[in-house]
Amino acid sequence: MRRATVKLAAAAAALTLVVTGCGTRPDAQAENKGGELALATPFTDALGLVEAAKQGTRKSKSSKTTIDTAGGNSRITGTVLAYYDGPATKLEANMTIGGETGVLRLVDQMLYLKLPAEEKAQLKTDKNWGKIDLNSQDPQAKAMGKAMQRSFEMGDPAKQLEMVEKTGRIIRSEQTRLDGVPVNHYFVEFDVRKQFDLFLGDELPADKRTQVEKQLEGKDLQVPAELWFNAEQLPLKMTMDLAPFLKSMGRSDADGAKSTYTYSDWGTSVDVVPPPAAEVGDYSEMVKQHI
């Protein structure tokens, strides 16, 4: 896969696993919803919080995510409108990654990547879109599809909440307001090693797993985060500060490494359609011809 599209696919589809979350400003509809109910007493354990929140996210199924994540000299911004329902999942992502813009669509188990002009020239194609069949039996397409499916799954708010449940702990909480909406505000700490074990541990070859574990030895593996939930236990905002962890890993560009994600438009209608067939080519075949 070419550099620009790799960046788009990785950021828009995966929503960046270790900086996955729920973001900043709810829309007017979410604000009204948040004000209709009295806040419940904040949970003291991640399990209780997540089980309550997942009921709402699974019922709503769809939302809009606004992404703003920065680290070193790179920055990723954009929006993802998605309906999460297993094989019926559909989404459209509009992202800017390191100054490069792109569009990604998922519908009917088919992923469509809008090809930048530079990549069209590299691939020697007049097609504006490349497609990847997530159920393809072609080894290369199958590998890309498997990675994408895992990434889309992690974009599901319910799955993201499981990350809080299984790899995080609540440090403290308070009741406050976020943009006028009554919220329970949680201060959380994530364990990077637990995230590694949960999401990647079983998929890595033994030698790679040993290598990663050695890199993590003696490092600060705690990532501070903050989460805001409205009265319906729907997440409105999550921030994660990755600077301490990255500094412990020896990264010189760790300062300012922070991510903020916004969820709004809960339960909104999501209409994603494939690009015109004449503008679409098989992406894996394009790549094979120009490796």
Side-chain angles (χ1 to χ4, degrees), residues 2-246:
R2 291 300 188 268
R3 181 173 58 89
T5 303
V6 170
K7 283 186 177 181
L8 172 63
L15 304 182
T16 316
L17 181 60
V18 296
V19 292
T20 293
C22 333
T24 54
R25 176 181 287 275
D27 64 2
Q29 182 180 6
E31 290 178 6
N32 290 337
K33 283 186 176 182
E36 290 174 358
L37 303 174
L39 286 174
T41 301
F43 288 92
T44 58
D45 65 294
L47 175 61
L49 168 63
V50 170
E51 288 306 310
K54 283 196 294 188
Q55 293 183 29
T57 58
R58 285 172 173 162
K59 181 179 180 181
S60 298
K61 289 190 176 181
S62 64
S63 62
K64 178 181 178 181
T65 305
T66 300
I67 303 168
D68 188 349
T69 179
N73 296 321
S74 65
R75 187 176 184 185
I76 299 172
T77 60
T79 60
V80 180
L81 184 63
Y83 172 83
Y84 297 103
D85 189 20
T89 293
K90 52 187 175 179
L91 64 79
E92 178 161 342
N94 292 271
M95 308 295 295
T96 299
I97 304 144
E100 299 174 0
T101 60
V103 180
L104 178 151
R105 294 178 187 173
L106 173 67
V107 58
D108 296 330
Q109 290 287 282
M110 196 74 71
L111 177 69
Y112 299 92
L113 308 167
K114 191 164 188 179
L115 303 176
E118 178 185 0
E119 187 168 14
K120 287 178 63 176
Q122 291 174 342
L123 296 175
K124 297 180 181 180
T125 180
D126 61 351
K127 302 297 185 182
N128 293 321
W129 296 80
K131 68 177 180 180
I132 300 173
D133 184 350
L134 299 187
N135 296 312
S136 174
Q137 294 306 305
D138 175 81
Q140 184 171 354
K142 189 174 183 179
M144 286 190 280
K146 182 178 180 181
M148 290 296 175
Q149 285 179 308
R150 183 64 177 267
S151 299
F152 289 132
E153 181 181 83
M154 287 314 305
D156 183 342
K159 293 293 183 180
Q160 294 173 353
L161 287 167
E162 287 182 12
M163 183 178 71
V164 179
E165 175 185 340
K166 295 178 180 179
T167 74
R169 66 188 184 98
I170 296 173
I171 306 300
R172 61 186 178 91
S173 63
E174 64 178 2
Q175 293 191 327
T176 183
R177 286 181 175 269
L178 176 68
D179 299 314
V181 179
V183 292
N184 282 326
H185 179 197
Y186 294 91
F187 297 83
V188 175
E189 199 170 62
F190 288 107
D191 187 311
V192 174
R193 185 180 294 279
K194 288 182 179 180
Q195 290 187 351
F196 166 70
D197 289 338
L198 180 63
F199 299 120
L200 298 175
D202 293 337
E203 297 184 2
L204 288 180
D207 58 333
K208 295 292 184 182
R209 181 183 176 91
T210 300
Q211 182 180 353
V212 173
E213 289 180 339
K214 186 174 182 180
Q215 290 176 332
L216 294 178
E217 286 180 2
K219 303 299 190 298
D220 181 359
L221 302 181
Q222 304 307 311
V223 174
E226 296 179 49
L227 300 93
W228 290 257
F229 289 80
N230 68 9
E232 294 174 292
Q233 302 295 0
L234 290 172
L236 301 182
K237 177 177 181 178
M238 179 176 179
T239 63
M240 298 180 70
D241 182 4
L242 293 168
F245 167 66
L246 294 178

Side-chain angles (χ1 to χ4, degrees), residues 245-287:
F245 167 66
L246 294 178
K247 285 180 180 178
S248 74
M249 296 294 291
R251 288 277 295 272
S252 60
D253 60 349
D255 288 338
K258 186 175 182 179
S259 298
T260 302
Y261 287 69
T262 305
Y263 277 125
S264 61
D265 300 281
W266 289 99
T268 189
S269 175
V270 177
D271 184 20
V272 180
V273 297
E279 297 184 19
V280 178
D282 187 306
Y283 188 73
S284 61
E285 290 301 320
M286 293 180 189
V287 173

